């Protein structure tokens, strides 16, 4: 039994079709999609002996709301995110605010920069344009000092309400020699080789939070804001067991602590020096968790004892 090759219509169903319909508008706004999203696209494997899974134009994004593009003016690779206003009414405004002047120039601001927002007047949907980032733990950390620098930056994060592992990213530009494929990040953009890179020791980078769909903005004068429980992507959050109004900041402490626990304490050996701090951050009792200011102070003391 042989497997039939899908034709162009089959492969654009579902995740690809909405981007395919927006291709011309996006190009008019200065952003070019990959060949598979153009109206005249013909799959490169048709009529050949090529395995379609090895072809660049077969690759589709994991999530329907995001897609990579190239900024036509300078060839810069970017990521597009489609945001339905009725589902996430605050996301665009919060993302814009966090990357506006003077916040954008603050070195402690780790919110993904918003390069552009495309809004169609006839649609209840915005498209946010962001730099092309990648998972913060890829490439792998090679030294403890690389990890400590990552911790230091993570502890500078703003309140987010969903700062799980998948929403923590890093800027690849300092590290990567070759342009990588956004949905095959270990391969070059044309899939013909492995994407080469430096280490974080050789070329330090910056870490960013993405996805502000569950975030909220509070008046600075309100020291203890309360919200209904906001259910994010980390299902181990103890607060998810309650429906009481709660201050979201201790929940963010848990999120970041648990992200570090999963990636470093569970994934590497030798992180005993930071284990007690992380375990305090992920305590069941939210009132016993340290504040982020206390976390930063503890990390400074821990680093003084490292050689």
């Amino acid at each position: 039994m042989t497997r039939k090759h899908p034709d162009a219509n089959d492969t654009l169903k579902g995740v690809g079709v909405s981007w395919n319909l927006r291709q011309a508008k996006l190009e008019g706004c200065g952003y070019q999609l990959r060949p598979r999203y153009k109206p005249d696209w013909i799959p490169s494997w048709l009529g050949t002996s090529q395995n379609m899974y090895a072809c660049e134009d077969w690759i589709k994004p994991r999530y329907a709301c995001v897609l990579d593009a190239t900024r036509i003016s300078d060839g810069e690779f970017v990521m597009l995110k489609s945001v339905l206003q009725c589902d996430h009414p605050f996301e665009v405004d919060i993302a814009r605010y966090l990357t506006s002047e003077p916040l954008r120039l603050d070195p402690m601001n780790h919110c993904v920069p918003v390069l552009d927002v495309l809004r169609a007047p006839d649609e209840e949907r915005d498209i946010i344009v962001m730099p092309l980032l990648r998972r913060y733990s890829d490439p792998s950390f090679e030294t403890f000092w690389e990890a400590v620098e990552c911790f230091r930056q993570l502890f500078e994060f703003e309140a987010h309400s969903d700062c799980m592992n998948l929403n923590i990213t890093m800027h690849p530009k300092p590290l990567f020699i070759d342009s990588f494929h956004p949905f095959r990040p270990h391969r070059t953009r044309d899939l013909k080789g492995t994407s080469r890179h430096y280490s974080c020791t050789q070329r330090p980078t910056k870490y960013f939070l993405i996805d502000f769909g569950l975030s909220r903005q509070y008046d600075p004068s309100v020291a203890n804001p309360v919200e209904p429980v906001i259910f994010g992507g980390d299902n181990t959050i103890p607060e998810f067991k309650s429906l009481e109004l709660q201050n979201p900041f201790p929940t963010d402490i848990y999120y970041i602590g648990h992200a570090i626990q999963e990636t470093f304490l569970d994934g590497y050996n030798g992180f005993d020096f930071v284990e007690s701090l992380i375990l305090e951050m992920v305590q069941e009792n939210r009132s016993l968790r340290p504040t982020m200011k206390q976390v930063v102070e503890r990390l400074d003391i821990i680093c003084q004892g490292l050689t």
Side-chain angles (χ1 to χ4, degrees), residues 38-285:
K38 295 183 177 180
D40 57 353
W41 173 63
I42 298 175
S44 63
W45 61 86
L46 291 184
T48 75
S49 59
Q50 287 183 291
N51 182 337
M52 66 178 180
Y53 301 115
C55 296
E56 192 285 327
D57 59 338
W58 178 83
I59 296 175
K60 295 163 283 188
R62 181 178 178 184
Y63 301 105
C65 64
V66 296
L67 188 67
D68 63 296
T70 301
R71 190 164 57 191
I72 296 171
S73 62
D74 58 4
E76 185 80 8
F77 299 127
V78 297
M79 189 64 76
L80 310 177
K81 181 181 181 182
S82 176
V83 179
L84 197 59
Q85 294 160 17
C86 61
D87 288 343
H88 300 292
F90 310 114
E91 179 163 9
V92 172
D93 289 341
I94 289 177
R96 272 178 156 166
Y97 167 73
L98 291 171
T99 56
S100 62
E101 304 287 358
L103 296 177
R104 184 177 63 84
L105 302 177
D106 186 342
M108 295 178 67
N109 184 350
H110 294 273
C111 304
V112 58
V114 174
L115 306 177
D116 202 353
V117 176
L118 311 177
R119 177 169 293 177
D122 58 336
E123 293 188 57
E124 296 179 351
R125 184 182 298 275
D126 296 310
I127 295 178
I128 302 176
V129 183
M130 303 168 285
L132 176 62
L133 305 175
R134 64 184 286 143
R135 188 179 175 89
Y136 81 107
S137 56
D138 181 21
S140 298
F141 295 91
E142 296 183 4
T143 70
F144 289 115
W145 283 111
E146 289 180 4
V148 167
E149 172 58 18
C150 177
F151 300 162
R152 185 189 66 78
Q153 293 192 40
L154 295 187
F155 296 157
E156 292 177 340
F157 280 3
E158 302 282 342
H160 183 271
S161 298
D162 196 18
C163 40
M164 62 171 178
N165 262 321
L166 291 179
N167 287 335
I168 304 173
T169 63
M170 52 88 81
H171 202 310
K173 264 198 166 182
L175 294 178
F176 278 79
I177 301 167
D178 305 306
S179 298
F180 60 90
H181 196 285
F183 302 111
R184 295 291 185 276
H186 296 118
R187 306 293 294 171
T188 54
R189 198 165 180 88
D190 59 8
L191 302 188
K192 292 182 179 179
T194 301
S195 52
R196 299 170 298 163
H197 59 81
Y198 296 99
S199 70
C200 291
T201 299
Q202 295 169 309
R203 301 284 181 90
T205 189
K206 185 168 183 175
Y207 300 93
F208 290 98
L209 272 176
I210 61 170
D211 192 354
F212 294 91
L214 299 181
S215 300
R216 299 292 184 269
Q217 186 172 0
Y218 304 105
D219 188 314
S221 65
V222 180
N224 186 33
V226 291
E227 285 272 3
V229 176
I230 299 174
F231 291 90
D234 184 345
N235 59 16
T236 70
I237 302 289
E239 285 85 324
F240 291 176
K241 300 173 185 176
S242 170
L243 296 179
E244 296 178 1
L245 295 177
Q246 298 175 354
N247 183 333
F249 295 118
T251 306
D252 278 341
I253 298 292
Y254 183 100
Y255 265 114
I256 294 175
H258 192 233
I260 292 174
Q261 184 179 42
E262 284 187 318
T263 299
F264 296 94
L265 273 63
D266 296 346
Y268 294 85
N269 294 315
F271 280 93
D272 302 15
F273 65 91
V274 78
E275 184 175 15
S276 63
L277 173 59
I278 300 307
L279 292 180
E280 286 184 31
M281 295 174 70
V282 298
Q283 291 182 85
E284 180 90 11
N285 187 337

